[in-house]
Each structure stands twice: as structure tokens, then as C-alpha cells.
Amino acid sequence: MSKIVVTGKIPNAGLEVLHKAGFNPQAWSQDTAMTRQELLKQVQGADILVTLLTEKVDNELLDAAGSQLKAVCNVAVGYNNIDVAACKTRGVTVTNTPGVLTDATADIALALILMVTRRLAEGERVIRSKTPWQWGMHYMLGTGVTNRVLGVIGMGAIGIATARRAKACGMSVIYYSRSEIDSKIANELGAKKVSLDELLSESDVVSIHCPSNESTHHLIGASQFKKMKPTAYLVNTARGPIVDEQALVDALKAREIAGAGLDVFEFEPKINEGLLDRDDVVLIPHLGSATTETRDAMAMLAANNAVAIANGKSPLTPVG
Ligand code: DGY
């Protein structure tokens, strides 16, 4: 029987899938992530790994697992924690969890758009700090989103779902993506494909939804901020390294953009100190997929991928 090692604590719904399929997974049950040393020990002899985005799957880990390893099933749609090329060279299949977290993540993108444009976190801090306040015509004014332009970078499922939500708020949509989206969806959203430079200069809110890889590393940096409107906002629910975080801090300080809403960070869980005391940024701790039902669905999909591979079948959601 295949040895399945689950390297982080996942919802029971995922473990049940493995048990019901007749496997007896070696599953980490502590809330805190394993140390690297522990991880390298735990993966030894595994046929299949079920991993979380906090685990770096690189040559060192693949060596530690051994040459019998068949697959790495990530419990995330993003897989920048995995060296996919190294897996491919060794014949190790990689899977992710697309689809099941689309709505949850798009909800968070919309929430960040509204929070940062309407200064909601800042307002809440006023109340919680017991700072005296009074309603006033000029008190804590933000920017409305109706009739503004949303620029989506990476028009995959989550980008489209975010665009739908923004459209319901009266925003118009432009996007920058490798490929054109389905014409039916483009018509429904009235979404126009543009170059990255056009997107940056025309958008009132830029929302990032592309994968994190070598070609998108620091896709948004110093020169891109200079192309944005000084009244525009940046929202990132994809992955931190897509944005040069220090360049973001510099752009905010120089008022090259109006603010940012961030769910992900370049050196997660560390956050650039320059962001922490700014009222023009909203910072939340990677909550994109953080609903009970979404996390259950992610764990179940990853487990079903593992079961399929262990049984010699094609995985449901392979990467690449
Ligand atoms: C993912 O699945 O990539 C998300 O970032 C997890 O929250």
C-alpha cells in the first residue's frame, strides 16, 4: 500500500477521504508547522506527499523523500512553494487545488478593495483606540468605487470572480493576462484586454491574481508604481513576491499611489516594517481561502488527487 505523508495539519474532511479509500496516512496533527528538520525526517519513504503552501518542496526535500516518491499534492491553488521543474525531472507528479477557493479568494479581494478605498480598517482603529471622533462632512473621506476602473492582473478563475464582484459594485474592468478570456465572459463583464502599462495607467484599483513564478517575480515594482495614478490602489491576494514590497513602501511614501490592500507578503509571514504604521494600507494574514467550507474542499481535493495517483489513475487537477 502507498505510504501517504500529510506534512501539515489539514481538515478531517481530507483525512477521511484518505481513510475511506483504505489508506493509513502519516499525518502531522499539530497546529504549528513542522520544523524543516522534522519535515525532512517525516517525508522519508513517502510515495505521495500532501503538502501545505508553507512547505518548500525542493531538491533537498525530494532527496529526503527518496526515489519512490510519485507525487506531491499541494493543498493550495498556488504552488510557488514547489520546484515543479525538479519534480518533473524526477517523474514526480504535482497537483494543486484550483476551483474550490475561487469565490472565497475573490470575496477577500473585493473586501480589500472596499476596505482600502473606504478606509475601513483605519476607521475601526479609531474606534478601538477610543480616539474621540464626531461625524463631520469632511471626516475620514474615502474614494467610491462606482464608475471606477478595476485592472485585473491575471484573468484566471479568481480574477474573473473578482471582476464579477467589482462589476456588481459599478466598476468597469480591464485586464492583463497571458491569454484572452472566453468571449462570453468578456462580454458579460465588458472586460477589455490591455497591456500591463495601459492597465497600470488606466486603473483606479489594480488587483493581482496571476501565479507567482520567475516571470511574475516583482512584476509590480518601482517603475510600475510610477505608471499608476496617484489616486490608485493596489490589492494583492495572489502571492507576495509578485510585488516588490520595498518598492511599494517607497511608492506609498512618495504618494505615487493612494494605498494598498494586502493579503499576502513577499517574505511571509514577515511583513515589511514600512507597511505596519501606514494608514493607507490594509494588512490581513493570508486569509484568501480561510473559510471552513473552502479549507475542507481544498483538503478533500488534494486527498482525492493523492488517492487517484496511489491507485494508478490520473489525478483530478495536475499542475502543468
Ligand atoms: C492558495 O490556495 O494558493 C491560497 O493562497 C491559500 O490560501
Side-chain angles (χ1 to χ4, degrees), residues 52-53 74-82 95-98 101 158 210-212 238-239 298 319:
L52 303 188
L53 59 83
N74 215 30
V75 191
V77 67
Y79 48 88
N80 60 319
N81 57 310
I82 300 174
T95 68
N96 67 342
T97 61
L101 48 87
I158 300 173
C210 59
S212 175
R239 283 291 183 270
M298 290 165 69
V319 162

